[in-house]
């Protein structure tokens, strides 16, 4: 039984793993339906965006390159634990800066997983060795491979505001190469431009049509529009009562269906995180193995509320 005679005094939101600032039970999420295992290939990136949630840049190596053999170890664990995931996702940083990216994708595809690679489609992807590898993967595995391209806005003006002058056209050049080589694409954009979602999707539809890109602007799995993840914004904490109030199931939240593998700089082995959005928060590191990562996740971060529970977003397709 709980002792309510001396309720805990919690001064700030998101400061106690089990209780909210009001002393209510914090909501948690079980891993009930594993669908995606993510691998962060490293935080190094060829560009530095204005609002990168993971602070990727040409100098940030807080998360170092994973190797193909480390990915294989977790693919083995997937089979041992019978997670029955359908998708292996690769994110960064820029995944194509990792020299093992093509091999990591091939090993995942060889085991009949769908593979999703998040990329800016710029210079790292356009190296001849990477192009050759992608063409071979597409030839061998077809639509089991998808590249999700970061196109922050359908206009060059807004996209370049985030990613630097000229980046929009460089990304489009990469997308045209993917188009011409029959490689399946999706797009990830942002919703920070003060326009209605319907207008944003119309803008993307026009962009796709003018470039003959086979991407559905109206399908949220093919054109994913993410809210900005600003930790300074005041958001409510999610309590156990919120599920009923919001008419929402914990099974709809991303950490019920995915985990992410990372390797920290200086670490001997990779670790498994609860969430793709919180790579540096030790509270969301669950252990080194998938077995350890099967425990519940307490929603003790503003991203949990704004991005996942209230925003309804997911990093998977």
């Amino acid at each position: 039984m709980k002792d309510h005679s001396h309720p805990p005094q919690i001064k700030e939101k998101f400061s106690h793993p089990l209780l909210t600032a009001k002393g209510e039970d914090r909501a948690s999420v079980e891993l009930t339906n594993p669908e995606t295992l993510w691998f962060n290939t490293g935080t190094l990136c060829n560009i530095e965006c204005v609002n990168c949630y993971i602070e990727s840049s040409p100098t940030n190596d807080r998360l170092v390159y994973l190797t193909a053999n480390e990915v294989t170890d977790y693919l083995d664990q997937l089979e041992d634990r019978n997670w029955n995931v359908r998708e292996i996702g690769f994110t960064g940083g820029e995944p194509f800066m990792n020299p093992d990216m093509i091999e990591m994708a091939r090993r995942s595809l060889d085991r009949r997983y769908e593979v999703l690679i998040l990329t800016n489609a710029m210079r790292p992807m356009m190296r001849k060795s990477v192009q050759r590898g992608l063409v071979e993967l597409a030839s061998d595995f077809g639509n089991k491979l998808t590249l999700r391209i970061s196109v922050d806005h359908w206009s060059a003006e807004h996209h370049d505001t985030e990613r630097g002058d000229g980046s929009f056209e460089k990304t489009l050049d990469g997308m045209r190469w993917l188009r011409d080589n029959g490689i399946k694409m999706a797009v990830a954009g942002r919703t920070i431009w003060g326009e209605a979602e319907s207008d944003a999707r119309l803008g993307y539809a026009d962009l796709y049509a003018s470039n003959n890109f086979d991407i559905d602007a109206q399908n949220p799995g093919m054109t994913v529009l993410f809210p900005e993840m600003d930790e300074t914004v005041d958001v409510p904490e999610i309590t156990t009562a919120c599920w009923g109030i919001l008419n929402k199931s914990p099974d709809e939240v991303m950490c019920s269906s995915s985990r992410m593998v990372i390797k920290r700089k200086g670490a001997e082995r990779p670790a498994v995180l609860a969430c793709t959005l919180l790579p540096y928060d030790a509270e969301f590191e669950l252990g080194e193995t998938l077995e350890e990562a099967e425990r519940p996740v307490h929603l003790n971060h503003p991203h949990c509320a704004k991005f996942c529970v209230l925003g309804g977003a997911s990093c998977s397709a």
Side-chain angles (χ1 to χ4, degrees), residues 36-207:
T36 305
L37 181 61
W38 287 94
F39 291 93
N40 187 297
T41 62
T43 41
L44 286 173
C45 187
N46 56 301
I47 59 174
E48 186 170 1
C49 299
V50 174
N51 291 305
C52 178
Y53 79 95
I54 202 169
E55 301 170 6
S56 298
S57 77
T59 59
N60 180 8
D61 61 352
R62 291 173 68 184
L63 304 184
V64 298
Y65 290 153
L66 287 173
T67 67
N69 287 339
E70 287 168 336
V71 168
T72 294
D73 175 57
Y74 284 94
L75 297 179
D76 291 340
Q77 291 183 49
L78 276 179
E79 296 177 8
D80 293 341
R81 301 304 301 169
N82 294 314
W83 276 24
N84 295 317
V85 306
R86 63 171 179 82
E87 177 185 60
I88 303 298
F90 294 96
T91 184
E94 168 51 48
F96 289 112
M97 290 186 69
N98 185 313
D100 279 3
M101 183 62 256
I102 296 296
E103 180 64 19
M104 292 187 289
R106 177 168 289 280
R107 294 188 188 190
S108 302
L109 289 160
D110 275 337
R111 302 211 190 187
R112 301 188 177 183
Y113 295 110
E114 297 175 28
V115 166
L116 177 66
I117 304 175
L118 278 53
T119 177
N120 56 39
M122 295 174 73
R123 183 172 296 176
M125 191 199 77
M126 296 293 278
R127 300 198 310 273
K128 294 300 181 183
S129 60
V130 174
Q131 289 180 326
R132 184 169 55 251
L134 285 172
V135 169
E136 291 171 354
L137 291 177
S139 175
D140 292 343
F141 301 101
N143 283 348
K144 297 284 282 186
L145 171 68
T146 302
L147 270 60
R148 182 190 287 166
I149 317 302
S150 297
V151 184
D152 287 332
H153 192 258
W154 50 264
S155 73
E157 176 188 2
H158 288 325
H159 179 91
D160 285 0
T161 297
E162 288 290 317
R163 294 178 178 260
D165 291 344
S167 61
F168 185 75
E169 191 57 37
K170 291 176 183 176
T171 289
L172 287 187
D173 283 343
M175 295 177 72
R176 293 177 188 121
W177 180 86
L178 293 167
R179 174 202 65 197
D180 293 345
N181 285 276
I183 298 170
K184 184 179 177 183
M185 290 185 287
V187 158
R190 304 191 189 207
T191 60
I192 61 174
W193 314 108
E195 64 186 346
E197 180 176 330
S198 58
D199 291 336
R201 293 193 180 278
L202 286 174
Y204 280 105
D206 288 343
L207 175 67

